[in-house]
Amino acid sequence: MLPPTEGRCLLKRISDLSRQLTSLESKTYAVLDMNVSSNLLLFCRPVGYIRTAYATKNGTPRQGVVCPQVRAELRISRDIFSNPSHSLQGLKEFRYVWLIFWFHLNQVSSAKAKIRPPRMGGRSTGVFSTRSPHRPNPVGLTLAYLEEVSGDTLTLTGVDLVDGTPVLDVKPFIESYDSPSDLLHHPISYDTWVTRAEQSKQLNNVVLTAEARESLNSFHKRCSQEMCPRCLRFSDEDTLLPAIEELLKSDLRSVYRKSKCSDRIHFLTLDNVKLSVWYDSKGCAHVLQIDCFRDDVIERSKIVVKYM
Amino acid sequence: MLPPTEGRCLLKRISDLSRQLTSLESKTYAVLDMNVSSNLLLFCRPVGYIRTAYATKNGTPRQGVVCPQVRAELRISRDIFSNPSHSLQGLKEFRYVWLIFWFHLNQVSSAKAKIRPPRMGGRSTGVFSTRSPHRPNPVGLTLAYLEEVSGDTLTLTGVDLVDGTPVLDVKPFIESYDSPSDLLHHPISYDTWVTRAEQSKQLNNVVLTAEARESLNSFHKRCSQEMCPRCLRFSDEDTLLPAIEELLKSDLRSVYRKSKCSDRIHFLTLDNVKLSVWYDSKGCAHVLQIDCFRDDVIERSKIVVKYM
């Protein structure tokens, strides 16, 4: 991470350049040869940044289905529409939405044609036959349950995004467009590495040590104070505990971590708590410690974004 | 459209600027305030350009489901991967794929918060509660049936994209991620303007005049000549006729066209034929004329792309 002043300078240069580009774009058409496609650069802007309970990549579930109870919020930016709430009008009619988002925490800027998905046990496959974040355009797709629309803000559950992920688009789930059994009128019953991995997946047991359980009991309960930095997603231990269990039952460790780090503790962050977890050889997750963040650690209004 | 020389100059300027941006991106992190999101510009490059039977926006179905028989081809670009075929390895295991694409023919560069979808009969709704192309980031999502993977090329059916549309990503359809009835274990039975519009939709009759039928009989049959410019998607009249019927049965006219232009002929382009169609007051589509394109009109290797 660069120091803030240097970061700001670079940001300004990028912003100047992109202004120049925008002025060109608005008045130009370009004749493109379809066989020489590399020149076409397309620009997106986030319509908002999602707030979720997952502070880091490590500990964020691979798909929203893993933790259906964990809530998230997306506020449509005022930089996109002067009346953001107008853009959400009518969305309540739908129960599910697609989020198209940007994998902003990808470390590697150049994508590889073949990758090794964690659940394929180390074997490699083509990047387009996976949902890996490491793709030519780091664009993700996830289906979320729409709990509520209030003004300019959507409340969602079943979201698999790291806190602060830039969202490019929200689209309603429409069964007749998005459900393949409707598309060609035959049921799907096919066998892929994904379904095989899901079937063979063992549910892990989750056990809390006495110390962890004690921390949980002293967890900060949602107070009436407005803008309290410790009042984040979970209001009390009764909502936090099921979320911890959901998260740990789905084994989020990479192949490398599973095979080479069986003696190491895994640290996961879930909203305002940090979990220290050890997976034993039978796949049981032992929650050794639960640390609640101190007020001064929570600087939620700033995030670090790497330009892709 | 600008003359080619001017187009090329502008393309070079854009390319120079974007190179400068890329060099900045690769080495910089920027500290962003989440409340000031407008500065974040994200860049995408097409992974390929889809070839479909739909030459113009007018006449392209609104969703792939409308014309499940019409084939399309997507070739992964060599500018993205030196071995594009590697990126498709394993994809054959899946029957359906998501295409994330760019609505490159959008005329209006600034999106509105509320729009009037054709099937809502003129009423307006929030852009995020529709699948309209006119959105803050002109990114589209469509589910297509995967017919075949051969080397660097996917053959698809049920695609609703204009020929030459830049594709940003291909992802496998994975039932447990993408099917909401699995997500929260309850069946969906909800009522939206989309389902209401679909239920109330009358299937149009399609009638061909004697002249149109004659043109169809003299339609260019797929020949053995390699690179024949008239050998496009449809090999003969037996594959073309069902596609014409599918397309016209789904009424693609806008609200304006339906209400104000009942006395006007609609011209649609489907692959290498041009259709002249009149919808009578009962919704029956009369195909008055079918013109097969002459060789010199088909310049399929060049397309005009407007920068968004």
Side-chain angles (χ1 to χ4, degrees):
Chain A
M1 194 181 137
L2 293 171
T5 45
E6 195 174 340
R8 269 197 294 276
C9 286
L10 285 166
L11 198 62
K12 191 174 174 312
R13 262 186 78 191
I14 290 178
S15 148
D16 288 348
L17 280 169
S18 50
R19 238 199 317 278
Q20 287 180 54
L21 272 171
T22 312
S23 74
L24 274 175
E25 288 149 42
S26 61
K27 57 187 176 205
T28 62
Y29 286 76
V31 180
L32 282 192
D33 187 327
M34 280 175 67
N35 300 319
V36 189
S37 61
S38 65
N39 283 324
L40 188 61
L41 260 191
L42 307 166
F43 303 89
C44 295
R45 283 192 309 164
V47 299
Y49 295 84
I50 203 158
R51 311 305 308 254
T52 71
Y54 311 115
T56 56
K57 271 199 300 185
N58 180 16
T60 298
R62 281 189 204 106
Q63 288 292 329
V65 68
V66 168
C67 295
Q69 302 307 322
V70 176
R71 277 172 188 251
E73 262 181 32
L74 175 65
R75 194 173 175 181
I76 304 299
S77 164
R78 248 166 230 288
D79 297 315
I80 299 293
F81 297 121
S82 48
N83 281 310
S85 61
H86 287 187
S87 68
L88 298 177
Q89 195 187 300
L91 193 60
K92 267 187 196 163
E93 277 197 80
F94 299 90
R95 289 244 300 266
Y96 294 89
V97 290
W98 293 109
L99 299 177
I100 297 180
F101 60 94
W102 196 263
F103 288 109
H104 66 302
L105 295 179
N106 276 6
Q107 296 295 323
V108 186
S109 57
S110 67
K112 284 182 181 162
K114 283 167 76 168
I115 56 138
R116 296 176 194 279
R119 288 194 293 169
M120 267 182 82
R123 282 179 299 126
S124 76
T125 191
V127 64
F128 291 128
S129 65
T130 75
R131 298 288 275 258
S132 163
H134 306 289
R135 41 206 324 118
N137 295 303
V139 171
L141 175 69
T142 202
L143 186 62
Y145 186 79
L146 181 61
E147 290 277 347
E148 203 191 327
V149 179
S150 171
D152 58 2
T153 303
L154 297 93
T155 307
L156 305 154
T157 50
V159 169
D160 56 346
L161 309 186
V162 182
D163 189 43
T165 296
V167 174
L168 304 183
D169 207 355
V170 177
K171 293 180 195 283
F173 174 87
I174 297 174
E175 201 180 0
S176 57
Y177 301 173
D178 300 328
S179 168
S181 49
D182 278 348
L183 193 66
L184 286 181
H185 306 288
H186 47 62
I188 40 170
S189 58
Y190 57 105
D191 188 36
T192 65
W193 65 265
V194 179
T195 46
R196 287 192 295 276
E198 269 164 12
Q199 278 152 14
S200 71
K201 187 173 66 180
Q202 286 174 345
L203 280 186
N204 295 292
N205 245 334
V206 178
V207 181
L208 274 71
T209 62
E211 290 76 12
R213 200 164 282 280
E214 201 172 312
S215 302
L216 202 63
N217 292 336
S218 65
F219 175 73
H220 176 76
K221 288 181 179 55
R222 187 157 286 188
C223 57
S224 58
Q225 192 189 333
E226 227 185 311
M227 302 295 286
C228 165
R230 294 170 71 193
C231 278
L232 296 173
R233 304 285 157 255
F234 301 108
S235 52
D236 52 39
E237 63 272 24
D238 297 336
T239 54
L240 178 60
L241 184 58
I244 291 176
E245 287 176 341
E246 273 178 352
L247 186 67
L248 297 181
K249 275 183 180 167
S250 77
D251 192 347
L252 299 178
R253 293 172 300 164
S254 65
V255 175
Y256 177 82
R257 276 179 168 252
K258 268 186 208 175
S259 57
K260 306 278 180 194
C261 307
S262 60
D263 59 336
R264 304 226 339 237
I265 305 297
H266 299 276
F267 302 107
L268 309 174
T269 306
L270 183 68
D271 204 27
N272 40 4
V273 297
K274 188 174 159 189
L275 308 170
S276 306
V277 182
W278 175 62
Y279 281 91
D280 68 20
S281 59
K282 291 168 195 144
C284 176
H286 300 260
V287 183
L288 307 178
Q289 207 166 300
I290 298 180
D291 293 307
C292 301
F293 282 136
R294 296 194 321 278
D295 295 6
D296 56 345
V297 177
I298 307 170
E299 269 199 49
R300 308 276 292 193
S301 69
K302 298 239 171 207
I303 57 155
V304 176
V305 175
K306 183 178 186 298
Y307 279 92
M308 291 311 305
Chain B
M1 194 178 136
L2 293 172
T5 46
E6 195 173 340
R8 269 197 294 276
C9 286
L10 285 166
L11 198 61
K12 190 174 175 313
R13 263 185 79 191
I14 289 179
S15 149
D16 288 348
L17 280 169
S18 50
R19 237 197 318 277
Q20 287 180 53
L21 273 171
T22 313
S23 74
L24 274 175
E25 288 149 42
S26 62
K27 57 185 176 206
T28 62
Y29 287 76
V31 179
L32 283 191
D33 187 327
M34 280 176 66
N35 300 319
V36 189
S37 60
S38 64
N39 284 323
L40 188 61
L41 260 190
L42 307 166
F43 304 90
C44 295
R45 283 191 311 163
V47 299
Y49 295 85
I50 204 158
R51 311 306 306 255
T52 71
Y54 312 116
T56 57
K57 271 198 299 184
N58 179 17
T60 298
R62 279 187 207 108
Q63 288 292 328
V65 67
V66 169
C67 296
Q69 303 307 323
V70 176
R71 277 172 187 252
E73 262 180 33
L74 175 65
R75 195 172 174 183
I76 303 300
S77 165
R78 249 167 229 289
D79 297 315
I80 299 293
F81 297 121
S82 48
N83 282 310
S85 60
H86 288 187
S87 67
L88 298 178
Q89 195 187 301
L91 193 60
K92 268 187 196 162
E93 277 198 77
F94 299 90
R95 289 244 299 267
Y96 294 90
V97 290
W98 293 110
L99 299 177
I100 297 180
F101 61 93
W102 196 264
F103 290 109
H104 66 302
L105 296 179
N106 276 7
Q107 296 295 322
V108 186
S109 57
S110 66
K112 285 182 180 162
K114 284 167 74 168
I115 56 137
R116 295 175 195 279
R119 287 194 294 169
M120 268 182 82
R123 282 178 299 126
S124 76
T125 191
V127 65
F128 291 128
S129 64
T130 75
R131 298 287 275 259
S132 164
H134 306 290
R135 38 205 328 117
N137 295 303
V139 171
L141 175 68
T142 203
L143 186 62
Y145 186 79
L146 181 61
E147 290 277 349
E148 203 190 329
V149 179
S150 172
D152 59 1
T153 303
L154 297 93
T155 307
L156 305 155
T157 49
V159 169
D160 56 346
L161 308 187
V162 182
D163 189 44
T165 296
V167 174
L168 304 183
D169 206 356
V170 177
K171 293 180 195 283
F173 174 87
I174 297 174
E175 201 179 1
S176 57
Y177 300 173
D178 299 329
S179 167
S181 49
D182 278 349
L183 193 67
L184 286 181
H185 306 289
H186 47 61
I188 40 170
S189 59
Y190 57 104
D191 188 36
T192 65
W193 64 265
V194 179
T195 46
R196 286 192 296 275
E198 269 165 13
Q199 278 152 14
S200 70
K201 187 173 67 180
Q202 286 175 346
L203 280 186
N204 296 293
N205 246 334
V206 179
V207 180
L208 273 71
T209 62
E211 290 76 11
R213 200 164 282 280
E214 199 172 313
S215 303
L216 201 65
N217 291 338
S218 64
F219 176 73
H220 175 76
K221 287 182 180 52
R222 187 158 286 189
C223 56
S224 57
Q225 192 189 333
E226 227 186 311
M227 301 295 287
C228 164
R230 294 170 71 193
C231 278
L232 297 173
R233 304 284 157 257
F234 301 108
S235 52
D236 52 39
E237 64 271 25
D238 297 335
T239 55
L240 179 60
L241 184 58
I244 291 176
E245 286 176 340
E246 273 178 354
L247 186 68
L248 297 181
K249 275 183 179 166
S250 77
D251 193 346
L252 299 178
R253 293 172 299 164
S254 65
V255 175
Y256 178 82
R257 275 178 168 253
K258 269 186 208 174
S259 58
K260 306 277 181 194
C261 306
S262 59
D263 58 337
R264 304 227 339 236
I265 304 297
H266 300 277
F267 301 107
L268 309 173
T269 306
L270 184 67
D271 203 27
N272 41 4
V273 297
K274 189 173 159 190
L275 308 170
S276 306
V277 182
W278 175 61
Y279 281 91
D280 68 21
S281 60
K282 291 168 195 146
C284 176
H286 300 260
V287 183
L288 307 178
Q289 206 167 301
I290 298 180
D291 292 307
C292 302
F293 282 136
R294 295 193 322 277
D295 295 4
D296 57 344
V297 178
I298 306 170
E299 268 198 51
R300 308 275 292 192
S301 69
K302 298 238 171 210
I303 57 156
V304 177
V305 175
K306 183 177 186 300
Y307 279 91
M308 289 311 305

